[in-house]
């Protein structure tokens, strides 16, 4: 099932900014990351999905329903990038209020079952000891956790998070990652807008890249990055860290290989101590093994050999630079 389905979705502000012509599908049960530099249109797109902005044109469905319909919004949890809670309320009172906003009656929010849900939700986000504390005394990280609790309170099928870890320390980010993985394992679909690339690498099954309000790429993360080549993918990058490298080593290797190395190997760096880093676009593990044996035959010490995982940061920068180089705004 496709949980989010948009076609040519557009929202601008007097013809400027925002996002334009976004066609995107998010499958059920995955963690989907939305990437892009500041001003790319990510938050505008997220607010349309949450029913807070009305599109100028295009169409979209969330949980099988058109944008903004109450049936879809009841099954959607949303954490905005910028939020404020009433400082005079306790954490439990904030969640009770959000229960009312979610359509529960006063009697339902006072029932013991809902009080138990509030307790369990606060425990889930690490605020079990703060249920009766006033929000005005919360740190930014605690308020972020409370916002996540409000998004989770009514057990949504789709969770839309706009910069959910922006105020958290490394321990807090690690705990939120673990929580999001558990939610995915339970079947919750998570749409994550974040500038923290390590969170996307760690969490996301699929991702999309926005730049200048336009969608440049989307799909499974491993395909966007080009894979690692493990298992025999053609053109995989393989790295070799060597010792005993001398100025004449390259010529010796080339002679030993019959003059065929120039199109395969790339010397990335070499220092005066004889250490060198080489990469190669190999076709399979056997070819990588041949290069290892070649290095050893030529008297080099092989310290490291393995596939080079493509970096999301490098991919992100390549996408942005290619667009900037093309003269886009």
């Amino acid at each position: 099932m496709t949980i989010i389905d948009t076609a040519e979705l557009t929202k601008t502000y007097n013809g400027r900014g925002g996002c334009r012509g976004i066609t995107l599908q998010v499958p059920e049960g995955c963690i989907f990351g939305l990437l892009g530099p500041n001003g790319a249109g990510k938050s505008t797109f997220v607010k349309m999905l949450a029913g807070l902005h009305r599109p100028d044109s295009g169409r979209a469905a969330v949980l099988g329903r058109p944008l903004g319909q109450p049936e879809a919004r009841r099954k959607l949890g949303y954490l905005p990038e910028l939020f404020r809670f009433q400082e005079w309320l306790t954490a439990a009172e904030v969640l009770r209020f959000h229960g009312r906003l979610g359509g529960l009656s006063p009697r339902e929010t006072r029932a013991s079952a809902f009080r138990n849900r509030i307790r369990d939700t606060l425990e889930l986000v690490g605020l079990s000891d703060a249920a009766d504390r006033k929000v005005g005394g919360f740190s930014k990280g605690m308020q972020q956790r409370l916002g996540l609790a409000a998004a989770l309170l009514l057990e949504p099928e789709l969770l839309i998070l706009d910069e959910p870890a922006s105020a958290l320390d490394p321990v807090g980010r690690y705990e939120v990652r673990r929580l999001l993985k558990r939610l995915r394992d339970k079947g919750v679909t998570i749409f994550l807008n974040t500038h923290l690339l390590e969170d996307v690498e760690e969490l996301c099954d699929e991702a999309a890249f926005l730049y200048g309000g336009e969608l440049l790429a989307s799909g499974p993360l491993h395909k966007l990055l080009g894979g690692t080549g493990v298992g025999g993918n053609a053109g995989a990058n393989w790295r070799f860290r060597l010792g005993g490298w001398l100025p004449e080593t390259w010529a010796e290797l080339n002679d030993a290989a019959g003059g065929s190395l120039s199109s395969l190997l790339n010397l990335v760096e070499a220092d005066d101590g004889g250490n060198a880093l080489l990469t190669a676009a190999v076709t399979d593990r056997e070819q990588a093994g041949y290069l290892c044996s070649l290095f050893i035959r030529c008297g080099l010490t092989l310290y490291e050999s393995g596939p080079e995982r493509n970096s999301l940061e490098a991919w992100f920068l390549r996408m942005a630079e290619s667009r900037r180089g093309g003269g886009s705004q």
Side-chain angles (χ1 to χ4, degrees), residues 159-324:
L159 191 59
I160 298 178
L161 306 176
D162 198 349
E163 302 290 358
S166 59
L168 299 178
D169 59 22
V171 174
R173 289 202 299 272
Y174 171 74
E175 291 173 348
V176 168
R177 287 176 187 170
R178 286 202 308 170
L179 172 59
L180 296 183
K181 288 177 181 178
R182 292 203 304 271
L183 292 171
R184 175 185 57 191
D185 293 342
K186 292 180 179 179
V188 178
T189 304
I190 300 167
F191 190 90
L192 184 65
N193 175 25
T194 179
H195 68 280
L196 298 174
L197 298 183
E198 63 268 28
D199 284 352
V200 176
E201 283 190 303
E202 176 71 21
L203 289 170
C204 293
D205 307 294
E206 300 198 16
F209 185 88
L210 291 186
Y211 190 93
E214 298 179 4
L215 180 66
L216 299 190
S218 66
L221 196 59
H222 71 276
K223 289 187 177 180
L224 293 178
L225 296 180
T228 64
V230 177
N233 292 336
N237 288 327
W238 209 273
R239 59 189 288 127
F240 307 91
R241 197 169 291 278
L242 305 168
W245 188 271
L246 299 171
E248 62 269 20
T249 299
W250 184 266
E252 293 176 3
L253 286 172
N254 203 46
D255 288 343
S260 61
L261 286 185
S262 58
S263 62
L264 177 63
L265 272 178
N266 175 47
L267 178 60
V268 177
E269 60 184 36
D271 61 28
D272 294 337
N275 299 302
L277 174 64
L278 284 76
T279 60
V282 303
T283 56
D284 50 38
R285 289 181 181 271
E286 286 70 24
Q287 190 176 39
Y290 163 74
L291 290 172
C292 289
S293 67
L294 182 65
F295 298 144
I296 294 171
R297 287 204 313 270
C298 290
L300 297 169
T301 301
L302 182 63
Y303 294 126
E304 177 189 340
S305 168
E308 186 175 42
R309 185 170 180 236
N310 287 327
S311 161
L312 180 60
E313 181 180 29
W315 178 83
F316 183 101
L317 292 173
R318 276 200 311 272
M319 293 293 293
E321 287 299 325
S322 66
R323 193 63 173 177
R324 203 174 291 135

